Amino acid sequence: MSVHVSPGAAASPPPTPVPPRRPVNIHDLRAAKERGEKFTMVTAYDYSSAALLDELGVPVLLVGDSLGMVVLGYDSTVPVTLDEMLHHTRAVARGAPNAIVVGDLPFGTYQDGPSQALASATRMLKEAGANAVKLEGGGPMVEVTAHLVRTGIPVMGHLGLTPQSVNQFGGFKVQGRDDAAAQRLLDDAVDLAEAGAFAIVLECVPSEVGERITAAIDIPTIGIGAGPDTDAQVLVWHDLLGLTSGRLPRFVKPYADLRAEIGAAIKAFASEVADGEYPGPEHTY
Ligand code: KIV
């Protein structure tokens, strides 16, 4: 999705004028789906990564509650608090003037119903500067979504493997494998779209389910382990860049090996300090 382009560093010949960047909005995403243009969403948890992603033109940054696992070291997303999410969302929003910044509502801050959800989502927009919120689940979350949307808060849905329900699922497992479960996901997606959600994350579902849901609704689906036919794909920053250690889920493709790069850089620094090579005269006042 080419919503905006950064002026490059090239100096000559005189560059063709670049249209000024304008912030992406939720209608751009729907228009991208209509044009059949796939786009990406990437998670961000801090100012500098958000600024880089924004500069690179990534249209949607998700301050996911995966924050709890990849940044804060919890063993699931369940313990993440709204204050933790607000703190990190604020940093991301400061770094990303152009992308849509979506703040995840953490477990226990919206499941009680529309008024609890409105209070939490309002803080996410007013105090943290998010442009939208994401919440997990269908069923009762359809009415919650409708309430937030009526209030003027853009909502991204999340179906399939919804990690806040990991204790209910009995682990991080593919969802929607049998016909009845797939139909329930499809019905939830249609209901969320009718309630006014602007996009839906589909996590860990068979690719036929991703394809069926994507064809059935007008709003973009954003897949993570949902096959190639969703309208967009999302990956967690650490997984995408090869910063995660240990076994990776099947859907993760690391596009870099930053763990190795960082390891080499830290070793080089330590060894140059030990040898007295760093700092050299050029680094010294
Ligand atoms: O919290 C998160 O990062 C997410 C994505 C994996 C979609 O919900």
Side-chain angles (χ1 to χ4, degrees):
M1 180 188 184
S2 50
V3 171
H4 54 255
V5 184
S6 308
S12 64
T16 12
V18 175
R21 292 175 72 171
R22 70 159 174 83
V24 187
N25 65 57
I26 58 171
H27 307 287
D28 294 322
L29 304 185
R30 193 164 175 150
K33 174 169 180 143
E34 280 161 15
R35 292 193 300 271
E37 232 178 73
K38 294 195 181 230
F39 62 91
T40 50
M41 175 165 88
V42 179
T43 67
Y45 314 100
D46 61 38
Y47 171 82
S48 55
S49 59
L52 181 55
L53 289 166
D54 193 79
E55 193 186 312
L56 292 168
V58 176
V60 194
L61 305 192
L62 171 65
V63 191
D65 61 355
S66 50
L67 161 78
M69 299 175 79
V70 298
V71 175
L72 302 177
Y74 301 147
D75 60 8
S76 80
T77 59
V78 172
V80 177
T81 67
L82 185 56
D83 284 335
E84 287 167 338
M85 289 304 305
L86 294 173
H87 177 72
H88 287 269
T89 304
R90 245 178 243 124
V92 169
R94 280 195 288 267
N98 297 294
I100 300 175
V101 173
V102 181
D104 237 346
L105 294 184
F107 181 63
T109 67
Y110 61 95
Q111 286 90 347
D112 206 22
S115 56
Q116 187 199 28
L118 180 57
S120 304
T122 301
R123 291 192 68 195
M124 195 54 100
L125 268 66
K126 285 182 79 153
E127 294 177 34
N131 305 112
V133 297
K134 177 167 82 59
L135 49 85
E136 296 185 2
M141 292 309 117
V142 171
E143 179 44 31
V144 168
T145 299
H147 186 60
L148 297 185
V149 171
R150 276 195 299 270
T151 316
I153 299 176
V155 177
M156 178 179 282
H158 185 159
L159 297 172
L161 171 55
T162 45
Q164 293 175 15
S165 304
V166 62
N167 292 308
Q168 183 78 23
F169 293 145
F172 295 97
K173 295 178 182 163
V174 177
Q175 302 295 307
R177 278 200 189 276
D178 62 57
D179 288 350
Q183 187 61 46
R184 273 197 302 280
L185 286 175
L186 180 62
D187 293 343
D188 280 339
V190 168
D191 290 347
L192 285 172
E194 279 172 6
F198 71 92
I200 300 177
V201 169
L202 296 177
E203 180 163 354
C204 281
V205 297
S207 63
E208 313 82 69
V209 175
E211 185 185 2
R212 269 178 75 195
I213 293 176
T214 301
I217 59 178
D218 291 338
I219 57 169
T221 54
I222 305 177
I224 177 160
D229 297 305
T230 53
D231 300 301
Q233 298 288 332
V234 54
L235 280 175
V236 165
W237 169 268
H238 298 69
D239 294 344
L240 166 58
L241 296 174
L243 285 164
T244 309
S245 59
R247 201 169 149 263
L248 293 171
R250 180 185 168 95
F251 59 76
V252 171
K253 177 172 177 184
Y255 284 83
D257 188 1
L258 290 198
R259 240 182 116 74
E261 296 252 346
I262 291 170
I266 299 295
K267 279 186 193 151
F269 175 51
S271 130
E272 289 198 6
V273 169
D275 295 349
E277 250 180 86
Y278 176 83
E282 71 277 32
H283 307 116
T284 304
Y285 299 103

